[in-house]
Amino acid sequence: MKKIGVLTSGGDAPGMNAAIRAVVRKAIYHNLEVYGIKNGFQGLMEGNIEQMNLGSVGDIIQRGGTILFSARSEEFKTAEGQERGIEQLKKFGIEGLIVIGGDGSFRGAQKLTEKGFPCIGVPGTIDNDISGTDFTIGFDTSLNTIIEAVDKVRDTATSHERTYIIEVMGRDAGDLALWAGLAGGAESILIPEKKEDFEDIVDRLKRGHDRGKKHSIILLAEGVGSGIDFGDRIQETTKLETRVTVLGYIQRGGSPTATDRVLASRLGAKAVELLMANQGGKMVGIQNNNLVNYPFDEIFAQSHTINEEMYNLSKELSI
Ligand code: F6P
C-alpha cells in the first residue's frame, strides 16, 4: 500500500486532531502518501481531498474539533453515494482509508471495505458507546468538561438550596452521565441502560432535604428523555425548588485532555499499521490498556453495556 486517506465523520470529539496527526506522521514515517478528506463521507463523494504533509498536522495536537471538518451524510448510506466515493478514491489512487468517528461512520467504512477498499475505524466520539474498546477518543475530555460544570452548578445550588437536574449528552448511552455522576457526587444518576423508580428518586431527595442537605444534583443522560420535563416533574412532586441545566455542545469542544491525546495517538498509529498489513474492515480499540482490533461485524453484533460495578457503587455512595 502506497497511498492512504483519512477522514473524520459524525459528531466531532476532542482528540480527533491528535488522531489525524498520528495517522499522518506514522504514515509518512513509513513512506506512505497520506490524503486528508474534508467533511467526512460527504467530502469524499465530492472529491474534497488534499495531500497532507508533516506540516499539515503541526500545532494541532492540543486543539479541539477536527481540522478535516466532519459531517453526517445521508447520501453515503446509498449504494450510489458509495460508488461516488469509490470513484474519488480511484481518481486519487488511494488504496486504504482510516475513518475516525462512531458507529454510523464505521457502517460506511464497512461498506467501502466490502466494495474492495480496506478501511480501518478509529473510535472517536464523546459518547463512549462503541463495543470492543474501553474508551473512545473524546470521552475523557467531555467528562472533565461536565465535571467542571457540575462543580460550578453545585456552588450555586448550595447558595440557593435548590435541586439541580444536569442533562448531559451520550445519545443512547449513559457513560457520560454515570462517570460524571460518580465523579461529581450526584444524588441520582439516570441513564438509558437502567430503569429508575421515580418514587425512589423522590424519596432520596426528600431524605436528603430532611437531614439538612443544602442541595441535590441529579445527572440525567439525554437518552432517558428531556431534563426540562423531568425537572418539572421533580419540582411538582417534591415541592423543592428545582432548576435544570442542559449542558449541550460545550461537551464536544475544548482542548483534549492528556489521556485523550495519548489514546488518539496510539489508536491512529495502530490504524496505519493495520492498513500496511493489508487488513481492512476492522476497528482499533483499547482494552485493559492494550491495543486491540476487531472486525466491524463483531463490533456491530455486540451492544454497548455500562459498567455494572460503577453503577452499583454510585447507588451505594448516594445513599
Ligand atoms: O455522538 C455525539 C453527540 O454529541 C451525541 O452525544 C449527541 O446526541 C449528538 O452527537 C448530537 O448530534 P448533532 O451534532 O447532530 O446535533
Side-chain angles (χ1 to χ4, degrees):
M1 194 162 298
K2 288 267 174 283
K3 293 185 184 183
I4 67 166
V6 57
L7 61 79
T8 49
S9 165
D12 66 348
M16 279 185 163
N17 280 328
I20 296 166
R21 174 181 177 274
V23 167
V24 171
R25 298 244 163 127
K26 174 90 176 177
I28 293 176
Y29 181 86
H30 288 285
N31 299 315
L32 300 177
E33 282 182 23
V34 201
Y35 289 79
I37 296 153
K38 298 212 172 126
N39 293 325
F41 290 117
Q42 193 61 38
L44 174 62
M45 291 182 295
E46 292 161 4
N48 197 350
I49 300 172
E50 264 173 36
Q51 189 171 358
M52 300 182 85
N53 54 46
L54 293 176
S56 323
V57 291
D59 199 24
I60 66 165
I61 197 167
Q62 78 286 10
R63 280 164 52 192
T66 158
I67 60 161
L68 291 177
F69 308 106
S70 194
R72 301 190 201 274
S73 174
E74 283 305 312
E75 193 185 343
F76 196 74
K77 290 181 184 158
T78 65
E80 295 76 39
Q82 291 147 19
E83 288 307 324
R84 274 183 73 197
I86 287 173
E87 272 169 36
Q88 294 296 339
L89 289 170
K90 283 186 181 157
K91 194 167 132 194
F92 284 83
I94 297 168
E95 299 151 285
L97 189 62
I98 292 175
V99 173
I100 305 167
D103 182 83
S105 311
F106 296 162
R107 291 185 190 267
Q110 170 75 323
K111 286 286 174 206
L112 286 179
T113 306
E114 282 165 11
K115 292 178 186 221
F117 279 86
C119 293
I120 299 293
V122 175
T125 163
I126 62 164
D127 301 337
N128 208 39
D129 60 348
I130 301 180
S131 306
T133 188
D134 292 343
F135 297 106
T136 57
I137 297 165
F139 173 69
D140 186 65
T141 307
S142 185
L143 179 61
N144 278 285
T145 301
I146 295 170
I147 283 303
E148 207 185 317
V150 170
D151 290 349
K152 286 178 177 163
V153 166
R154 186 182 283 282
D155 288 344
T156 179
T158 309
S159 307
H160 289 268
E161 304 194 28
R162 285 173 176 159
T163 298
Y164 268 84
I165 316 296
I166 303 181
E167 182 190 311
V168 300
M169 282 187 167
R171 203 177 283 273
D172 301 321
D175 285 46
L176 280 173
L178 175 58
W179 282 66
L182 198 50
E187 273 62 39
S188 290
I189 302 172
L190 277 79
I191 56 176
E193 293 88 345
K194 295 280 177 187
K195 182 127 187 58
E196 284 297 319
D197 184 16
F198 187 71
E199 292 312 314
D200 272 1
I201 299 169
V202 168
D203 281 352
R204 199 168 315 145
L205 287 175
K206 283 190 178 154
R207 273 205 312 272
H209 184 258
D210 291 349
R211 65 169 201 263
K213 265 190 103 164
K214 292 286 178 224
H215 68 255
S216 290
I217 303 272
I218 298 179
L219 255 291
L220 176 127
E222 64 176 354
V224 171
S226 153
I228 308 272
D229 295 347
F230 184 73
D232 286 347
R233 238 180 120 196
I234 288 286
Q235 174 149 304
E236 239 164 63
T237 319
T238 62
K239 307 291 177 225
L240 298 171
E241 197 179 14
T242 303
R243 293 285 189 274
V244 179
T245 295
V246 180
L247 291 186
Y249 290 89
I250 62 162
Q251 297 165 93
R252 278 218 321 236
S255 177
T257 58
T259 300
D260 268 332
R261 295 182 203 190
V262 171
L263 176 65
S265 301
R266 293 175 74 188
L267 294 180
K270 188 69 191 173
V272 175
E273 274 178 23
L274 288 179
L275 275 187
M276 288 194 307
N278 282 321
Q279 297 197 39
K282 290 181 162 186
M283 183 197 83
V284 289
I286 191 155
Q287 287 177 331
N288 302 319
N289 203 23
N290 293 313
L291 295 178
V292 292
N293 60 82
Y294 296 106
F296 286 133
D297 286 340
E298 276 183 37
I299 303 293
F300 300 151
Q302 291 164 28
S303 52
H304 169 72
T305 52
I306 53 135
N307 183 315
E308 293 287 330
E309 173 267 321
M310 277 177 59
Y311 180 76
N312 293 334
L313 178 64
S314 76
K315 290 260 179 221
E316 288 174 3
L317 300 188
S318 63
I319 190 169

